Amino acid sequence: KLQDSPTLICDTGHNVGGITYITEQLKQQTYRQLHIVIGMVNDKDIRGVLALLPREATYYFTKASVKRALPESELQELAAAAGLKGHCYPDVPAAVRAAQEKSLPEDFIFVGGSSFIVADLLANRDALDLH
């Protein structure tokens, strides 16, 4: 947990098993709106992961700063096929800033989909004012 009001949580779960656990944990949270900042690498079961994610969330598709990162536009296309809606952002800080700007204090922001996404988030904690 990196922030309150809105709550911001990150997790490195990046496969079907990890995302299954995360979605169960998200169902136990109380919030007005769920915002999900997500990026994945291209060698994972992307369609399998996307099929597990909540349809009612607002998505911020992005990519990590590694060569294996799936481009955010490709992730958005795959997500749309799974019924998930959101916008693309060129990097993790931009996606997180957008989620923070669009969130009310009673909202919940989840950041994940890849260990590399979480690493980029943590590397930019100061710039994002996350303590």
Side-chain angles (χ1 to χ4, degrees), residues 37-92:
V37 176
I38 188 167
M40 297 187 71
V41 292
N42 56 23
D43 59 356
K44 299 296 178 193
D45 180 6
I46 296 164
R47 285 183 177 85
V49 166
L50 294 172
L52 297 170
L53 294 173
R55 308 275 179 277
E56 71 277 2
T58 301
Y59 286 87
Y60 303 79
F61 303 106
T62 190
K63 68 177 177 303
S65 57
V66 296
K67 288 183 180 183
R68 291 172 42 214
L70 182 72
E72 64 276 16
S73 58
E74 288 182 40
L75 182 58
Q76 182 185 36
E77 285 179 32
L78 292 169
L84 309 178
K85 295 181 172 86
H87 296 284
C88 291
Y89 299 88
D91 54 44
V92 174

